[in-house]
Amino acid sequence: VIETTPAVGWYVFGIVPSDAAPPVGTSLVEDGPFAAVAAEVSLAEFGEDVLPERLNDRAWLEEKVRVHEAVLQSFVGVVPVVPLRFGAIYHDLDDVRRLLAERAEHFAVVLERVRGRVELGVKAWLDPTRVARPAAATGREYLQRRRDELSSARDAASLAAAAHERLAALAEGAVLNRPQPRELTGRDEQMLLNAAYLVPEPGDELAREVARVGEETAAAGLTFELTGPWPPYNFAETER
Amino acid sequence: MTTLAEQVTLVELVDRVLHKGVVIARVLLASVATLEEER
């Protein structure tokens, strides 16, 4: 029996089959066929009263987010895992076991769905400067150039949407997320597509299609970026 | 200094870890809603 003190809690990273091996620094809290991947944390760091301030500490947040990802990533390609969102902290292990029991049906469905599959992320970016245009010498030429730019942007958006349809057709699950604004990405290009796909591991077929789409749309100023394989963050809910 | 690729990955990582995954309603800590509102 592991005893806890009031000053600690249990951070739960995700849910795995109970016969999985826990990464270093974590424990498996089992209940039936499933187990929560958990680690003891100090409430001086994760307590309700201090967490809001911590979340505004970029360095702290980056460190904890990377730990969360590293723990879940260790299961990718090994056993299925259901990621929990950052910040699931329980007072004691009985509460963790209660979570497993109460959400058993959900975890069973999702674990089966993501078994042998990985999540790949695809983003499409528009860089208007990659589309060559003549310099505008007159007001009329400037207006025409602006019209051309707007038309090109619409075309690029259509191309990105068509690319998503092609990629989704190869995937067993697809999630279209809201493109991130420039303030968040810190990039000059405009994000037109921010999607995630659930594909059989290792995801080579989708990767090849992303490369093909990228080649076909490069002249329109589009570039495609592939990331992953990720734990199935975007497919942790049953309805997706 | 982090490279552009590292920055992109970090943005993507933060987006997944903070905004995706199973949301557990009855946990000790409510959520990271405060952060999301500020973003």
Side-chain angles (χ1 to χ4, degrees), chain A residues 46-48 51 55-56 62 65 68-69 82-86 89-91 99 102-103 119 121 123 177 180 184 187 227 230 233-234 236-237, chain B residues 2 4 6-32 34-36 38-39:
Chain A
F46 280 93
E48 283 177 289
L51 191 64
L55 292 173
N56 290 318
E62 179 175 345
V65 162
H68 188 101
E69 160 63 12
V82 181
L84 261 57
R85 193 167 297 191
F86 183 87
I89 299 171
Y90 292 80
H91 276 296
L99 160 74
E102 289 176 352
R103 302 290 293 271
E119 175 178 320
K123 286 180 167 58
N177 292 309
Q180 295 162 340
L184 191 60
R187 293 172 61 158
T227 60
W230 297 92
Y233 291 103
N234 278 277
E237 299 293 349
Chain B
T2 56
L4 177 61
E6 288 169 339
Q7 289 171 23
V8 170
T9 303
L10 179 60
V11 168
E12 185 139 1
L13 179 58
V14 167
D15 194 36
R16 280 181 162 79
V17 172
L18 295 189
H19 305 130
K20 306 295 178 182
V22 175
V23 178
I24 304 299
R26 203 159 50 79
V27 291
L28 174 60
L29 303 175
S31 70
V32 290
T34 306
L35 182 77
E36 290 184 72
E38 290 174 356
R39 284 179 62 185

Side-chain angles (χ1 to χ4, degrees), chain A residues 67-129:
Chain A
V67 169
H68 188 101
E69 160 63 12
V71 168
L72 295 176
Q73 187 66 235
S74 71
F75 295 106
V76 173
V78 183
V79 295
V81 58
V82 181
L84 261 57
R85 193 167 297 191
F86 183 87
I89 299 171
Y90 292 80
H91 276 296
D92 57 48
L93 296 176
D94 284 342
D95 288 338
V96 178
R97 293 190 189 94
R98 199 168 299 120
L99 160 74
L100 290 167
E102 289 176 352
R103 302 290 293 271
E105 190 177 342
H106 173 105
F107 296 143
V109 169
V110 178
L111 280 171
E112 201 49 46
R113 185 175 188 214
V114 303
R115 184 183 298 277
R117 298 169 179 87
V118 291
E119 175 178 320
L120 294 179
V122 177
K123 286 180 167 58
W125 303 86
L126 173 63
D127 180 0
T129 64

Side-chain angles (χ1 to χ4, degrees), chain A residues 25-206:
Chain A
T26 69
S27 307
L28 291 191
V29 183
E30 298 177 28
D31 186 273
F34 313 123
V37 185
E40 200 173 43
V41 292
S42 166
L43 294 186
E45 197 171 28
F46 280 93
E48 283 177 289
D49 49 342
V50 296
L51 191 64
E53 190 178 339
R54 291 285 192 184
L55 292 173
N56 290 318
D57 180 342
R58 185 188 164 98
W60 182 91
L61 184 62
E62 179 175 345
E63 178 193 337
K64 301 308 176 190
V65 162
R66 289 195 185 282
V67 169
H68 188 101
E69 160 63 12
V71 168
L72 295 176
Q73 187 66 235
S74 71
F75 295 106
V76 173
V78 183
V79 295
V81 58
V82 181
L84 261 57
R85 193 167 297 191
F86 183 87
I89 299 171
Y90 292 80
H91 276 296
D92 57 48
L93 296 176
D94 284 342
D95 288 338
V96 178
R97 293 190 189 94
R98 199 168 299 120
L99 160 74
L100 290 167
E102 289 176 352
R103 302 290 293 271
E105 190 177 342
H106 173 105
F107 296 143
V109 169
V110 178
L111 280 171
E112 201 49 46
R113 185 175 188 214
V114 303
R115 184 183 298 277
R117 298 169 179 87
V118 291
E119 175 178 320
L120 294 179
V122 177
K123 286 180 167 58
W125 303 86
L126 173 63
D127 180 0
T129 64
R130 292 182 58 198
V131 182
R133 296 184 197 289
T138 66
R140 176 173 293 186
E141 286 175 0
Y142 172 79
L143 289 175
Q144 183 59 47
R145 178 174 171 152
R146 280 297 296 149
R147 279 195 289 268
D148 290 345
E149 285 173 351
L150 291 171
S151 176
S152 294
R154 281 194 295 271
D155 291 346
S158 296
L159 288 170
H164 170 66
E165 293 300 320
R166 280 170 63 176
L167 298 174
L170 297 176
E172 296 176 13
V175 172
L176 201 50
N177 292 309
R178 192 169 52 185
Q180 295 162 340
R182 288 192 177 94
E183 306 83 67
L184 191 60
T185 65
R187 293 172 61 158
D188 292 333
E189 306 106 302
Q190 179 188 359
M191 189 187 295
L192 293 182
L193 176 68
N194 181 16
Y197 304 93
L198 185 70
V199 295
E201 56 189 33
D204 291 349
E205 188 182 9
L206 191 96

